[in-house]
Amino acid sequence: MPPLVIPSPGSSTGPRSADAGAAPSWSDAPYPVLVLDADGTTVVDRNRTARLLLPGPSDGSPLRDAPPSWLSEAHRRHAGGSPDAPAGPPGGRIGDRFYQARPTPAAGGGVAWWLVDDTDRRLAEAALHRARERADTLAALFSTLLSSLNVPRCAEVAARMAAEHLADAAVLITPPAGRRYAVTHARRGEPVVQETRQIDPHGVPGLAEALRGFPPVPARWINPDDIPDWVVPAGFAGPVGSVIVTPLPGHGVPAGALILLRSGTEQAFTPDEEVFARLFAARAGTALSAARLYSEQTAITATLMRELLPPTLDSVHGVEYAGHYRTAMDHERVGGDFYAVHPGADASQETFVVLGDVAGKGLDAAVLTGKIRNTLHALLPLASDHRQVLTLLNGALLTSRHTRFATLVLASVKRHGSRVRLRLTSAGHLPPLVVRADGAVEEVDTHGTLVGALPTVTVRTAETVLAPGETCLLYTDGITEARGGPLGDELFGEHRLRQALAECAGMPGEAIVERVQMLAAQWLGSGRHDDMAAVAISAPRTGPSADDDEHAGDGGPPGRNG
């Protein structure tokens, strides 16, 4: 077969018309060129560059040998005009490089294949693909982790994704609680296992340093034989072949450490993979740190909230108590209204009841209610003297940094036979209402100045007696000032409250409180409102006999002012 002549740039010589002796020839081309016969099974000629790439026979025989298999297949598809030929140029490996082959016709029916080195482009595309995959992995990790602010759940997700994308297995260790560490094991394709155990971080090279937030040591410095058994998850395939130990950076303090394991049959971690592992750990550490911070704040909030939430009321020393509280904002649990019941040491001692309303609403008001409740608790030894209690409370509020004031109503309650005797004092608060057995609603004649605003407190204490089945209601102005109705601009008012109470004659205190709150809520509709609180103090319908009443004495006529 006559050789194919390749024209040089700028030459008008074509491959079919060039003379073999013309210069320059195709053998001078910088690309490897192989000339195959019509069947594509034999290399019949090659240029100088192709001889360097594929030296051919070295025994002195003619330069005829088999081309690479992928090139032979491409040649047969090209010669036969196969319809299933790939859209792009054929390609394959020669040695450790990848080449694309582009055909041109050669004299005698053969085909000359120009080989273009495509290795660098493919490596760049592969690197770009890996970078995109890793970016997607980090985005998915962060999105999944931030969807949960639960520390064990975050650790589970991080370990599972690390095993799926970085190694055969992953172990995540969070900072210790005492002497025990939370350890999360994950194997690729297997359920995650979490446990709490005592471990020695110094038994794993680099783990103690990682838990303190120091930079990781390179994987090649860690001997897999030094890994203790507790690190390797159950069912791990084969011996450990390569290990990465990297810290999980947090907000100011480390969030833990991540150990990545590959079996002996897998490739060792490359420097590029170690960098990606550190990026992965940084994202996981940020999410774990946020979850831990949220958990700590939630625990603190729950502890403080227990002191601010209204208590659950029940029967105390033969007297029934019921309460209900609704904050101004449905998503809040505390506000500016509060109530508390402090039982006496025994049935012979008075029970001290307080219901109050702090100016404002929300958390700021709740903070002051907590202060008032704590102050009143400290003043319990003086609870029998309402005036002195309010005077001392007023002084405490005036000397505090708070500028809010409060209204309160105090009640001292004691059972006398089947009756319940109350001493009631209002400090700028709405007067209590008594629901008699016959449906009459009476206002207790007590009044006074609010606390936390004026240098002195002036109050008037009143007494009343509840017969069996009668109730005294303490309430805040959030109920009477609930604005709603047909046009949404009318107050619920004391008149409607009295009507509602008249219909509750003989009902248990819990039912009265629920009905009052329900009617106020219906009046409001979807409108805005202030905090609403109510406490019912009831004399039970069943109680001691009449002989006990006579033994107890009447203790003075109802309505006597103190």
Side-chain angles (χ1 to χ4, degrees), residues 165-226:
H165 299 282
L166 300 177
D168 296 327
V171 183
L172 192 148
I173 302 101
T174 53
R179 297 182 178 181
R180 302 181 70 85
Y181 292 77
V183 181
T184 304
H185 289 92
R187 283 195 302 128
R188 188 180 301 170
E190 297 295 332
V192 176
V193 177
Q194 293 183 304
E195 62 179 348
T196 302
R197 61 184 300 167
Q198 288 185 338
I199 63 172
D200 179 14
H202 297 280
V204 181
L207 179 58
E209 293 78 6
L211 288 171
R212 292 185 176 92
F214 290 103
V217 298
R220 63 182 181 276
W221 291 6
I222 300 177
N223 183 3
D225 296 334
D226 295 336

Side-chain angles (χ1 to χ4, degrees), residues 445 460-463 559-562:
D445 186 19
R460 174 186 176 89
T461 300
E463 294 187 8
R560 181 173 60 84
N561 296 330

